[in-house]
Amino acid sequence: MNRNLLCIEDLENNPSSRVPVCLVLDTSGSMEGDPINELNEGVRLFYDAVRSDETALYAAEISVVTFGGFASRQADFSTLEHQPEAPQFYANGGTPMGEAMNMALDMLEKRKNEYKVSGVDYYQPWIVLMTDGMPNGSQAELSRSIQRTCDMINERKLTIFPIGIGEDADMDVLARFSPKRSPLKLQGLNFKEFFAWLSKSVSKVSQSTPGDKVQLDADGIKGWAEL
Amino acid sequence: MKVTLNKTSQSIAPDRNLPVTLIAKPGHTLHMQNGQSVILGTMLGQGGEGSVFKTNTPYVAKIYKPEKTTSHRMTKIQALLDKGLDFPGICVPKAILYNSKKEFVGYLMQKAEGEKVRSLYMKPLFMKKFPSWKKRDLVELCITILKKIGYLHKNGIILGDINPDNIVIKTPKDVFFVDCDSYQVDGIPCPVGTIPFTPPELQNKNYNSILRTVGNENFAVAVLLFSLMVTGQMPYNQKNGESAQQNIINMDFSYPLGEASNKKTPAGQWRFLWSHLPRFIKEAFYNTFNKGGTYSTESTRLNSYDWFKKFSEYLRLLDSGKYGEQDKMSEQVYPTRFKKQKGVTYVKCPQCGEETDESIISKYGICMECLRKNRLSRHQRPPIPQHKPGYQGTFGRPARTRTSQNPLVTALKIIDWFI
Ligand SMILES: Nc1ncnc2c1ncn2[C@@H]1O[C@H](COP(=O)(O)OP(=O)(O)O)[C@@H](O)[C@H]1O
Ligand SMILES: [Zn+2]
């Protein structure tokens, strides 16, 4: 079936409040080898975990944007009922982080509008931003994406989880995307632990009511973050 | 029924933690005030406040996290015990549980079994869990729930936090109320609640500091019934609308009665579910949820007994076959078109095969629903790029000014992830 109809029909058939989550992932050349393998494995586990939770399966809408050479939409917002397979990533090229964040924000605006038009409620969206390096795309795009992200966070329309991988991750630029909380550094290559935590958090939110305050598992962070 | 006005809860002694130095674990023996004891078995489930365990009796034990055993909690459980409540399926505390050091750790209650109401809210999950259900089963479920709520109200108890996770369904007749330790009893407030089930007069109030009235709760009862009848929808979800909370405050109800409509009914089959309800049920919802409606205020809302009578009548009509006479599809949970009207000719749509009112067949010879879907499918989403240079859409262009739109939902406030 035509994808557009499917995405809108899904909103009509399943009025559960949605938890939109966008993974914005660095797949630049420096991720080659273990990092990209662990990232692939982590995202696959994330998909498995969300799929196996009955509430999250029908509530969480996952999308994925990568930046490795260019910004690329790997998966658009949809529940995993309709998009069960995790995308596979290859490490290649530069680090156009701003372009990727703008792409993610555009996709989010579009999906939020579809929720609104269909009358489906949604939770505050999440963006997970992961990088092992320094952005080297257009400077203008980077500034614009930082501005957009901060505006949304300050208006409480977005939650961001900025995460650095390895010694060369530019923690300062991650901090510029995140006015409310400092970025964290991944412990080694603990992608699996991070994505397990993320899926638990998604499950928890999807069992709450939009507008509610949800307490995420703070202890769980210790399993993947350098604190 | 006499309705008292909201008053703030009288000042009681400040809450304090009752320390637990021995954490209850499977295998431990726990004691009750009357000298009896139980042995904890395996864990059944975990929540925000604690966990629920099997015991060596037919009952289960809720064991609080050590930081959640407070004086207020114990007072409330004692107050609920003092009421001597006894109704099948209402899992209220049956006894306070203490560890071997005589520290308060939790309480004993009836065991609940089945699926949470939340699983009915998702069509694919509903069809998986209860594949044989017809409309009558949902109506019977409403009746079962209303009897329980009526019993609690009669005993001076307000549930407070009615929501889809606190009701567990085994069959339409076999239903459990869980999380009963938060009920409002004897002037002790229910400290929790959710936006969709909170009446307009209590929106934006602090649940901790108000006492709810039966009139307040009758709103939540109506929302629950609506969400079971228009299965999975909330009365104030609407397309192109304000936030659900703002719609509640404005009492801007999204479903039509006759010609009266705000034209914001959510897209999809929900209009069909609404259309197949009997007129007297639609009238009751409409007058409850619409500003100025006959039952729209705290003191005029229908109570659980009023609803009980209406749903019993609906069940009688369904079970006698009478209700299906006009349109057999009314007996199904998810009808796929509007209810048939008397004196109208119906023809089969060549595209979807559904019967549709002859006079509203589009000029293309197909039904309106097919026309709408065909139109939707023409608005293509761009295909997902594989390995070609992707995103140049907004490259280098100045930031667009965004029309500030009302988010459907107020912000979900989450953690500071460093706590
Ligand atoms: N009476 C009961 N019988 C069986 N399971 C129960 C009962 N009460 C609660 N549970 C289960 O235990 C888990 C936690 O209980 P709950 O009281 O809802 O947690 P909390 O209020 O702490 O968030 C839930 O998954 C629930 O389904
Ligand atoms: Zn048709």
Side-chain angles (χ1 to χ4, degrees), chain A residues 182-200:
Chain A
S182 315
L184 288 182
K185 192 168 263 188
L186 197 68
Q187 250 175 55
L189 293 176
N190 284 10
F191 287 98
K192 291 192 213 70
E193 290 77 1
F194 168 73
F195 281 106
W197 177 84
L198 187 68
S199 70
K200 275 204 203 100

PDB file of all heavy atoms in Angstrom, chain A residues 182-200:
ATOM      1  N   SER A 182      23.220  18.808  30.331  1.00  0.00           N
ATOM      2  CA  SER A 182      24.514  18.626  29.676  1.00  0.00           C
ATOM      3  C   SER A 182      24.539  17.313  28.917  1.00  0.00           C
ATOM      4  O   SER A 182      23.913  16.339  29.330  1.00  0.00           O
ATOM      5  CB  SER A 182      25.626  18.606  30.708  1.00  0.00           C
ATOM      6  OG  SER A 182      25.433  19.637  31.621  1.00  0.00           O
ATOM      7  N   PRO A 183      25.271  17.277  27.809  1.00  0.00           N
ATOM      8  CA  PRO A 183      25.397  16.019  27.073  1.00  0.00           C
ATOM      9  C   PRO A 183      26.150  14.998  27.899  1.00  0.00           C
ATOM     10  O   PRO A 183      26.902  15.347  28.803  1.00  0.00           O
ATOM     11  CB  PRO A 183      26.195  16.404  25.830  1.00  0.00           C
ATOM     12  CG  PRO A 183      26.833  17.701  26.129  1.00  0.00           C
ATOM     13  CD  PRO A 183      26.012  18.383  27.173  1.00  0.00           C
ATOM     14  N   LEU A 184      25.934  13.731  27.593  1.00  0.00           N
ATOM     15  CA  LEU A 184      26.648  12.668  28.294  1.00  0.00           C
ATOM     16  C   LEU A 184      27.566  11.959  27.319  1.00  0.00           C
ATOM     17  O   LEU A 184      27.356  11.981  26.108  1.00  0.00           O
ATOM     18  CB  LEU A 184      25.655  11.654  28.869  1.00  0.00           C
ATOM     19  CG  LEU A 184      24.831  12.119  30.057  1.00  0.00           C
ATOM     20  CD1 LEU A 184      23.939  10.987  30.531  1.00  0.00           C
ATOM     21  CD2 LEU A 184      25.721  12.595  31.184  1.00  0.00           C
ATOM     22  N   LYS A 185      28.604  11.336  27.875  1.00  0.00           N
ATOM     23  CA  LYS A 185      29.510  10.565  27.034  1.00  0.00           C
ATOM     24  C   LYS A 185      29.229   9.083  27.243  1.00  0.00           C
ATOM     25  O   LYS A 185      29.057   8.623  28.369  1.00  0.00           O
ATOM     26  CB  LYS A 185      30.948  10.909  27.405  1.00  0.00           C
ATOM     27  CG  LYS A 185      31.945  10.383  26.400  1.00  0.00           C
ATOM     28  CD  LYS A 185      33.314  10.976  26.612  1.00  0.00           C
ATOM     29  CE  LYS A 185      33.564  12.151  25.680  1.00  0.00           C
ATOM     30  NZ  LYS A 185      34.938  12.633  25.738  1.00  0.00           N
ATOM     31  N   LEU A 186      29.150   8.359  26.135  1.00  0.00           N
ATOM     32  CA  LEU A 186      28.901   6.920  26.213  1.00  0.00           C
ATOM     33  C   LEU A 186      30.113   6.237  26.837  1.00  0.00           C
ATOM     34  O   LEU A 186      31.248   6.543  26.507  1.00  0.00           O
ATOM     35  CB  LEU A 186      28.668   6.372  24.800  1.00  0.00           C
ATOM     36  CG  LEU A 186      28.012   4.996  24.685  1.00  0.00           C
ATOM     37  CD1 LEU A 186      26.567   5.054  25.142  1.00  0.00           C
ATOM     38  CD2 LEU A 186      28.086   4.496  23.244  1.00  0.00           C
ATOM     39  N   GLN A 187      29.832   5.298  27.768  1.00  0.00           N
ATOM     40  CA  GLN A 187      30.909   4.481  28.337  1.00  0.00           C
ATOM     41  C   GLN A 187      31.390   3.535  27.251  1.00  0.00           C
ATOM     42  O   GLN A 187      30.620   2.688  26.789  1.00  0.00           O
ATOM     43  CB  GLN A 187      30.315   3.607  29.430  1.00  0.00           C
ATOM     44  CG  GLN A 187      30.685   3.923  30.844  1.00  0.00           C
ATOM     45  CD  GLN A 187      29.881   3.018  31.751  1.00  0.00           C
ATOM     46  OE1 GLN A 187      29.912   1.798  31.617  1.00  0.00           O
ATOM     47  NE2 GLN A 187      29.130   3.625  32.664  1.00  0.00           N
ATOM     48  N   GLY A 188      32.623   3.706  26.822  1.00  0.00           N
ATOM     49  CA  GLY A 188      33.160   2.817  25.789  1.00  0.00           C
ATOM     50  C   GLY A 188      32.216   2.732  24.611  1.00  0.00           C
ATOM     51  O   GLY A 188      31.766   3.744  24.080  1.00  0.00           O
ATOM     52  N   LEU A 189      31.860   1.518  24.222  1.00  0.00           N
ATOM     53  CA  LEU A 189      30.913   1.350  23.120  1.00  0.00           C
ATOM     54  C   LEU A 189      29.621   0.707  23.641  1.00  0.00           C
ATOM     55  O   LEU A 189      29.058  -0.198  23.032  1.00  0.00           O
ATOM     56  CB  LEU A 189      31.541   0.498  22.010  1.00  0.00           C
ATOM     57  CG  LEU A 189      32.725   1.150  21.286  1.00  0.00           C
ATOM     58  CD1 LEU A 189      33.329   0.189  20.265  1.00  0.00           C
ATOM     59  CD2 LEU A 189      32.322   2.455  20.601  1.00  0.00           C
ATOM     60  N   ASN A 190      29.140   1.220  24.779  1.00  0.00           N
ATOM     61  CA  ASN A 190      27.945   0.635  25.413  1.00  0.00           C
ATOM     62  C   ASN A 190      26.647   1.049  24.715  1.00  0.00           C
ATOM     63  O   ASN A 190      25.705   1.497  25.370  1.00  0.00           O
ATOM     64  CB  ASN A 190      27.884   1.025  26.890  1.00  0.00           C
ATOM     65  CG  ASN A 190      28.870   0.238  27.715  1.00  0.00           C
ATOM     66  OD1 ASN A 190      29.710  -0.458  27.160  1.00  0.00           O
ATOM     67  ND2 ASN A 190      28.764   0.336  29.030  1.00  0.00           N
ATOM     68  N   PHE A 191      26.608   0.905  23.405  1.00  0.00           N
ATOM     69  CA  PHE A 191      25.384   1.257  22.671  1.00  0.00           C
ATOM     70  C   PHE A 191      24.213   0.399  23.127  1.00  0.00           C
ATOM     71  O   PHE A 191      23.101   0.879  23.270  1.00  0.00           O
ATOM     72  CB  PHE A 191      25.589   1.054  21.166  1.00  0.00           C
ATOM     73  CG  PHE A 191      26.460   2.084  20.526  1.00  0.00           C
ATOM     74  CD1 PHE A 191      27.797   1.833  20.291  1.00  0.00           C
ATOM     75  CD2 PHE A 191      25.939   3.315  20.158  1.00  0.00           C
ATOM     76  CE1 PHE A 191      28.600   2.786  19.686  1.00  0.00           C
ATOM     77  CE2 PHE A 191      26.742   4.279  19.553  1.00  0.00           C
ATOM     78  CZ  PHE A 191      28.082   4.012  19.321  1.00  0.00           C
ATOM     79  N   LYS A 192      24.487  -0.887  23.344  1.00  0.00           N
ATOM     80  CA  LYS A 192      23.393  -1.793  23.715  1.00  0.00           C
ATOM     81  C   LYS A 192      22.752  -1.345  25.013  1.00  0.00           C
ATOM     82  O   LYS A 192      21.530  -1.312  25.133  1.00  0.00           O
ATOM     83  CB  LYS A 192      23.908  -3.228  23.870  1.00  0.00           C
ATOM     84  CG  LYS A 192      24.319  -3.871  22.572  1.00  0.00           C
ATOM     85  CD  LYS A 192      24.510  -5.360  22.803  1.00  0.00           C
ATOM     86  CE  LYS A 192      25.563  -5.994  21.969  1.00  0.00           C
ATOM     87  NZ  LYS A 192      26.952  -5.700  22.193  1.00  0.00           N
ATOM     88  N   GLU A 193      23.592  -0.998  25.989  1.00  0.00           N
ATOM     89  CA  GLU A 193      23.063  -0.561  27.288  1.00  0.00           C
ATOM     90  C   GLU A 193      22.254   0.721  27.122  1.00  0.00           C
ATOM     91  O   GLU A 193      21.198   0.886  27.710  1.00  0.00           O
ATOM     92  CB  GLU A 193      24.207  -0.343  28.287  1.00  0.00           C
ATOM     93  CG  GLU A 193      24.893  -1.618  28.751  1.00  0.00           C
ATOM     94  CD  GLU A 193      25.867  -2.197  27.725  1.00  0.00           C
ATOM     95  OE1 GLU A 193      26.041  -1.600  26.630  1.00  0.00           O
ATOM     96  OE2 GLU A 193      26.454  -3.263  28.008  1.00  0.00           O
ATOM     97  N   PHE A 194      22.770   1.621  26.274  1.00  0.00           N
ATOM     98  CA  PHE A 194      22.033   2.868  26.062  1.00  0.00           C
ATOM     99  C   PHE A 194      20.668   2.592  25.444  1.00  0.00           C
ATOM    100  O   PHE A 194      19.646   3.082  25.909  1.00  0.00           O
ATOM    101  CB  PHE A 194      22.804   3.838  25.155  1.00  0.00           C
ATOM    102  CG  PHE A 194      21.937   4.976  24.699  1.00  0.00           C
ATOM    103  CD1 PHE A 194      21.578   5.977  25.598  1.00  0.00           C
ATOM    104  CD2 PHE A 194      21.401   5.016  23.420  1.00  0.00           C
ATOM    105  CE1 PHE A 194      20.722   7.010  25.215  1.00  0.00           C
ATOM    106  CE2 PHE A 194      20.544   6.041  23.028  1.00  0.00           C
ATOM    107  CZ  PHE A 194      20.212   7.039  23.927  1.00  0.00           C
ATOM    108  N   PHE A 195      20.642   1.781  24.395  1.00  0.00           N
ATOM    109  CA  PHE A 195      19.366   1.571  23.708  1.00  0.00           C
ATOM    110  C   PHE A 195      18.389   0.753  24.550  1.00  0.00           C
ATOM    111  O   PHE A 195      17.177   0.898  24.418  1.00  0.00           O
ATOM    112  CB  PHE A 195      19.592   0.971  22.322  1.00  0.00           C
ATOM    113  CG  PHE A 195      20.014   2.006  21.315  1.00  0.00           C
ATOM    114  CD1 PHE A 195      21.317   2.076  20.855  1.00  0.00           C
ATOM    115  CD2 PHE A 195      19.104   2.958  20.859  1.00  0.00           C
ATOM    116  CE1 PHE A 195      21.709   3.051  19.940  1.00  0.00           C
ATOM    117  CE2 PHE A 195      19.485   3.936  19.957  1.00  0.00           C
ATOM    118  CZ  PHE A 195      20.792   3.990  19.489  1.00  0.00           C
ATOM    119  N   ALA A 196      18.918  -0.099  25.438  1.00  0.00           N
ATOM    120  CA  ALA A 196      18.029  -0.819  26.356  1.00  0.00           C
ATOM    121  C   ALA A 196      17.357   0.192  27.292  1.00  0.00           C
ATOM    122  O   ALA A 196      16.153   0.142  27.544  1.00  0.00           O
ATOM    123  CB  ALA A 196      18.819  -1.851  27.155  1.00  0.00           C
ATOM    124  N   TRP A 197      18.168   1.135  27.764  1.00  0.00           N
ATOM    125  CA  TRP A 197      17.624   2.185  28.644  1.00  0.00           C
ATOM    126  C   TRP A 197      16.581   3.016  27.903  1.00  0.00           C
ATOM    127  O   TRP A 197      15.507   3.308  28.408  1.00  0.00           O
ATOM    128  CB  TRP A 197      18.775   3.077  29.130  1.00  0.00           C
ATOM    129  CG  TRP A 197      18.341   4.235  29.970  1.00  0.00           C
ATOM    130  CD1 TRP A 197      18.098   4.232  31.312  1.00  0.00           C
ATOM    131  CD2 TRP A 197      18.093   5.576  29.528  1.00  0.00           C
ATOM    132  NE1 TRP A 197      17.709   5.480  31.728  1.00  0.00           N
ATOM    133  CE2 TRP A 197      17.700   6.324  30.653  1.00  0.00           C
ATOM    134  CE3 TRP A 197      18.166   6.210  28.284  1.00  0.00           C
ATOM    135  CZ2 TRP A 197      17.373   7.678  30.582  1.00  0.00           C
ATOM    136  CZ3 TRP A 197      17.839   7.555  28.206  1.00  0.00           C
ATOM    137  CH2 TRP A 197      17.452   8.277  29.346  1.00  0.00           C
ATOM    138  N   LEU A 198      16.912   3.348  26.642  1.00  0.00           N
ATOM    139  CA  LEU A 198      15.997   4.177  25.853  1.00  0.00           C
ATOM    140  C   LEU A 198      14.666   3.466  25.636  1.00  0.00           C
ATOM    141  O   LEU A 198      13.597   4.061  25.783  1.00  0.00           O
ATOM    142  CB  LEU A 198      16.647   4.530  24.505  1.00  0.00           C
ATOM    143  CG  LEU A 198      15.869   5.534  23.655  1.00  0.00           C
ATOM    144  CD1 LEU A 198      15.877   6.915  24.305  1.00  0.00           C
ATOM    145  CD2 LEU A 198      16.452   5.631  22.242  1.00  0.00           C
ATOM    146  N   SER A 199      14.715   2.169  25.322  1.00  0.00           N
ATOM    147  CA  SER A 199      13.462   1.460  25.061  1.00  0.00           C
ATOM    148  C   SER A 199      12.626   1.366  26.340  1.00  0.00           C
ATOM    149  O   SER A 199      11.411   1.499  26.300  1.00  0.00           O
ATOM    150  CB  SER A 199      13.726   0.077  24.483  1.00  0.00           C
ATOM    151  OG  SER A 199      14.278  -0.762  25.460  1.00  0.00           O
ATOM    152  N   LYS A 200      13.286   1.181  27.473  1.00  0.00           N
ATOM    153  CA  LYS A 200      12.540   1.152  28.742  1.00  0.00           C
ATOM    154  C   LYS A 200      11.877   2.498  28.980  1.00  0.00           C
ATOM    155  O   LYS A 200      10.747   2.566  29.445  1.00  0.00           O
ATOM    156  CB  LYS A 200      13.484   0.853  29.908  1.00  0.00           C
ATOM    157  CG  LYS A 200      13.718  -0.613  30.118  1.00  0.00           C
ATOM    158  CD  LYS A 200      14.151  -0.884  31.573  1.00  0.00           C
ATOM    159  CE  LYS A 200      14.912  -2.186  31.663  1.00  0.00           C
ATOM    160  NZ  LYS A 200      16.373  -2.002  31.702  1.00  0.00           N
TER     161      LYS A 200
END
